PDB file of all heavy atoms in Angstrom:
ATOM      1  N   PRO A 364    -116.789 -65.226  77.429  1.00 96.00           N
ATOM      2  CA  PRO A 364    -115.516 -64.769  76.653  1.00 96.00           C
ATOM      3  C   PRO A 364    -114.749 -65.988  76.119  1.00 96.00           C
ATOM      4  O   PRO A 364    -113.860 -65.695  75.261  1.00 96.00           O
ATOM      5  CB  PRO A 364    -114.728 -64.094  77.784  1.00 96.00           C
ATOM      6  CG  PRO A 364    -115.810 -63.804  78.831  1.00 96.00           C
ATOM      7  CD  PRO A 364    -116.820 -64.765  78.753  1.00 96.00           C
ATOM      8  N   ARG A 365    -114.941 -67.143  76.551  1.00 97.00           N
ATOM      9  CA  ARG A 365    -114.274 -68.317  76.101  1.00 97.00           C
ATOM     10  C   ARG A 365    -114.789 -68.756  74.771  1.00 97.00           C
ATOM     11  O   ARG A 365    -114.207 -69.538  73.975  1.00 97.00           O
ATOM     12  CB  ARG A 365    -114.437 -69.557  77.055  1.00 97.00           C
ATOM     13  CG  ARG A 365    -113.789 -69.372  78.351  1.00 97.00           C
ATOM     14  CD  ARG A 365    -114.050 -70.660  79.226  1.00 97.00           C
ATOM     15  NE  ARG A 365    -113.519 -70.552  80.541  1.00 97.00           N
ATOM     16  CZ  ARG A 365    -112.227 -70.753  80.818  1.00 97.00           C
ATOM     17  NH1 ARG A 365    -111.432 -71.141  79.862  1.00 97.00           N
ATOM     18  NH2 ARG A 365    -111.830 -70.559  82.006  1.00 97.00           N
ATOM     19  N   SER A 366    -115.947 -68.370  74.379  1.00 98.00           N
ATOM     20  CA  SER A 366    -116.662 -68.807  73.217  1.00 98.00           C
ATOM     21  C   SER A 366    -115.947 -68.217  71.916  1.00 98.00           C
ATOM     22  O   SER A 366    -115.748 -67.147  71.842  1.00 98.00           O
ATOM     23  CB  SER A 366    -118.038 -68.428  73.189  1.00 98.00           C
ATOM     24  OG  SER A 366    -118.743 -68.585  71.986  1.00 98.00           O
ATOM     25  N   THR A 367    -115.718 -69.066  70.900  1.00 98.00           N
ATOM     26  CA  THR A 367    -115.175 -68.582  69.635  1.00 98.00           C
ATOM     27  C   THR A 367    -116.220 -68.652  68.587  1.00 98.00           C
ATOM     28  O   THR A 367    -115.896 -68.535  67.386  1.00 98.00           O
ATOM     29  CB  THR A 367    -113.945 -69.483  69.229  1.00 98.00           C
ATOM     30  OG1 THR A 367    -114.421 -70.808  69.116  1.00 98.00           O
ATOM     31  CG2 THR A 367    -112.784 -69.400  70.190  1.00 98.00           C
ATOM     32  N   ILE A 368    -117.428 -68.838  68.971  1.00 98.00           N
ATOM     33  CA  ILE A 368    -118.518 -69.112  67.982  1.00 98.00           C
ATOM     34  C   ILE A 368    -118.653 -68.054  66.893  1.00 98.00           C
ATOM     35  O   ILE A 368    -118.721 -68.357  65.675  1.00 98.00           O
ATOM     36  CB  ILE A 368    -119.769 -69.427  68.701  1.00 98.00           C
ATOM     37  CG1 ILE A 368    -119.685 -70.665  69.576  1.00 98.00           C
ATOM     38  CG2 ILE A 368    -120.968 -69.519  67.726  1.00 98.00           C
ATOM     39  CD1 ILE A 368    -120.792 -70.942  70.580  1.00 98.00           C
ATOM     40  N   LEU A 369    -118.620 -66.776  67.316  1.00 98.00           N
ATOM     41  CA  LEU A 369    -118.724 -65.712  66.284  1.00 98.00           C
ATOM     42  C   LEU A 369    -117.427 -65.566  65.445  1.00 98.00           C
ATOM     43  O   LEU A 369    -117.414 -65.251  64.315  1.00 98.00           O
ATOM     44  CB  LEU A 369    -119.233 -64.377  66.992  1.00 98.00           C
ATOM     45  CG  LEU A 369    -120.588 -64.452  67.398  1.00 98.00           C
ATOM     46  CD1 LEU A 369    -120.941 -63.097  68.103  1.00 98.00           C
ATOM     47  CD2 LEU A 369    -121.528 -64.719  66.238  1.00 98.00           C
ATOM     48  N   ALA A 370    -116.299 -65.795  66.170  1.00 98.00           N
ATOM     49  CA  ALA A 370    -115.080 -65.751  65.457  1.00 98.00           C
ATOM     50  C   ALA A 370    -115.033 -66.805  64.392  1.00 98.00           C
ATOM     51  O   ALA A 370    -114.573 -66.596  63.243  1.00 98.00           O
ATOM     52  CB  ALA A 370    -113.905 -65.903  66.451  1.00 98.00           C
ATOM     53  N   GLN A 371    -115.612 -67.935  64.682  1.00 98.00           N
ATOM     54  CA  GLN A 371    -115.624 -69.110  63.657  1.00 98.00           C
ATOM     55  C   GLN A 371    -116.422 -68.590  62.479  1.00 98.00           C
ATOM     56  O   GLN A 371    -115.988 -68.792  61.308  1.00 98.00           O
ATOM     57  CB  GLN A 371    -116.292 -70.300  64.280  1.00 98.00           C
ATOM     58  CG  GLN A 371    -115.459 -71.079  65.294  1.00 98.00           C
ATOM     59  CD  GLN A 371    -116.194 -72.053  66.076  1.00 98.00           C
ATOM     60  OE1 GLN A 371    -116.724 -71.833  67.096  1.00 98.00           O
ATOM     61  NE2 GLN A 371    -116.403 -73.245  65.531  1.00 98.00           N
ATOM     62  N   VAL A 372    -117.540 -67.929  62.713  1.00 97.00           N
ATOM     63  CA  VAL A 372    -118.320 -67.465  61.566  1.00 97.00           C
ATOM     64  C   VAL A 372    -117.550 -66.544  60.670  1.00 97.00           C
ATOM     65  O   VAL A 372    -117.420 -66.502  59.457  1.00 97.00           O
ATOM     66  CB  VAL A 372    -119.625 -66.864  62.023  1.00 97.00           C
ATOM     67  CG1 VAL A 372    -120.394 -66.200  60.862  1.00 97.00           C
ATOM     68  CG2 VAL A 372    -120.535 -67.896  62.803  1.00 97.00           C
ATOM     69  N   ARG A 373    -116.870 -65.516  61.440  1.00 97.00           N
ATOM     70  CA  ARG A 373    -116.086 -64.449  60.808  1.00 97.00           C
ATOM     71  C   ARG A 373    -114.907 -65.168  59.951  1.00 97.00           C
ATOM     72  O   ARG A 373    -114.749 -64.836  58.783  1.00 97.00           O
ATOM     73  CB  ARG A 373    -115.525 -63.553  61.815  1.00 97.00           C
ATOM     74  CG  ARG A 373    -115.494 -62.118  61.435  1.00 97.00           C
ATOM     75  CD  ARG A 373    -115.011 -61.176  62.456  1.00 97.00           C
ATOM     76  NE  ARG A 373    -114.498 -61.743  63.772  1.00 97.00           N
ATOM     77  CZ  ARG A 373    -115.176 -61.754  64.896  1.00 97.00           C
ATOM     78  NH1 ARG A 373    -116.431 -61.292  65.012  1.00 97.00           N
ATOM     79  NH2 ARG A 373    -114.583 -62.293  66.021  1.00 97.00           N
ATOM     80  N   ASN A 374    -114.236 -66.053  60.567  1.00 98.00           N
ATOM     81  CA  ASN A 374    -113.145 -66.686  59.879  1.00 98.00           C
ATOM     82  C   ASN A 374    -113.569 -67.563  58.763  1.00 98.00           C
ATOM     83  O   ASN A 374    -112.776 -67.804  57.854  1.00 98.00           O
ATOM     84  CB  ASN A 374    -112.363 -67.577  60.967  1.00 98.00           C
ATOM     85  CG  ASN A 374    -111.799 -66.796  62.016  1.00 98.00           C
ATOM     86  OD1 ASN A 374    -111.580 -65.563  61.916  1.00 98.00           O
ATOM     87  ND2 ASN A 374    -111.495 -67.397  63.162  1.00 98.00           N
ATOM     88  N   GLY A 375    -114.816 -68.049  58.766  1.00 98.00           N
ATOM     89  CA  GLY A 375    -115.357 -68.765  57.606  1.00 98.00           C
ATOM     90  C   GLY A 375    -115.223 -68.181  56.272  1.00 98.00           C
ATOM     91  O   GLY A 375    -114.883 -68.704  55.296  1.00 98.00           O
ATOM     92  N   VAL A 376    -115.432 -66.835  56.302  1.00 97.00           N
ATOM     93  CA  VAL A 376    -115.378 -66.086  55.071  1.00 97.00           C
ATOM     94  C   VAL A 376    -113.953 -66.095  54.540  1.00 97.00           C
ATOM     95  O   VAL A 376    -113.705 -66.294  53.384  1.00 97.00           O
ATOM     96  CB  VAL A 376    -115.917 -64.653  55.242  1.00 97.00           C
ATOM     97  CG1 VAL A 376    -115.792 -63.867  53.863  1.00 97.00           C
ATOM     98  CG2 VAL A 376    -117.373 -64.673  55.620  1.00 97.00           C
ATOM     99  N   SER A 377    -112.968 -65.800  55.482  1.00 98.00           N
ATOM    100  CA  SER A 377    -111.538 -65.754  55.014  1.00 98.00           C
ATOM    101  C   SER A 377    -111.108 -67.124  54.457  1.00 98.00           C
ATOM    102  O   SER A 377    -110.428 -67.198  53.444  1.00 98.00           O
ATOM    103  CB  SER A 377    -110.612 -65.384  56.153  1.00 98.00           C
ATOM    104  OG  SER A 377    -111.092 -64.214  56.732  1.00 98.00           O
ATOM    105  N   VAL A 378    -111.525 -68.156  55.210  1.00 98.00           N
ATOM    106  CA  VAL A 378    -111.108 -69.551  54.673  1.00 98.00           C
ATOM    107  C   VAL A 378    -111.683 -69.898  53.431  1.00 98.00           C
ATOM    108  O   VAL A 378    -111.088 -70.461  52.524  1.00 98.00           O
ATOM    109  CB  VAL A 378    -111.456 -70.511  55.890  1.00 98.00           C
ATOM    110  CG1 VAL A 378    -111.430 -71.983  55.374  1.00 98.00           C
ATOM    111  CG2 VAL A 378    -110.563 -70.334  57.063  1.00 98.00           C
ATOM    112  N   ARG A 379    -113.027 -69.537  53.189  1.00 98.00           N
ATOM    113  CA  ARG A 379    -113.684 -69.866  51.915  1.00 98.00           C
ATOM    114  C   ARG A 379    -113.043 -69.015  50.786  1.00 98.00           C
ATOM    115  O   ARG A 379    -113.007 -69.531  49.703  1.00 98.00           O
ATOM    116  CB  ARG A 379    -115.169 -69.768  52.105  1.00 98.00           C
ATOM    117  CG  ARG A 379    -115.654 -70.931  52.960  1.00 98.00           C
ATOM    118  CD  ARG A 379    -117.097 -70.874  53.411  1.00 98.00           C
ATOM    119  NE  ARG A 379    -117.378 -72.093  54.199  1.00 98.00           N
ATOM    120  CZ  ARG A 379    -117.899 -72.135  55.333  1.00 98.00           C
ATOM    121  NH1 ARG A 379    -118.282 -70.999  56.011  1.00 98.00           N
ATOM    122  NH2 ARG A 379    -118.137 -73.283  56.013  1.00 98.00           N
ATOM    123  N   MET A 380    -112.715 -67.784  51.086  1.00 98.00           N
ATOM    124  CA  MET A 380    -112.014 -67.060  50.088  1.00 98.00           C
ATOM    125  C   MET A 380    -110.735 -67.751  49.689  1.00 98.00           C
ATOM    126  O   MET A 380    -110.397 -67.812  48.465  1.00 98.00           O
ATOM    127  CB  MET A 380    -111.676 -65.610  50.608  1.00 98.00           C
ATOM    128  CG  MET A 380    -112.842 -64.673  50.728  1.00 98.00           C
ATOM    129  SD  MET A 380    -112.352 -63.117  51.484  1.00 98.00           S
ATOM    130  CE  MET A 380    -111.580 -62.248  50.131  1.00 98.00           C
TER     131      MET A 380
END
Side-chain angles (χ1 to χ4, degrees):
R365 294 180 183 276
S366 166
T367 58
I368 296 168
L369 290 177
Q371 287 168 264
V372 176
R373 216 173 12 254
N374 296 339
V376 177
S377 310
V378 164
R379 289 175 175 125
M380 283 173 80

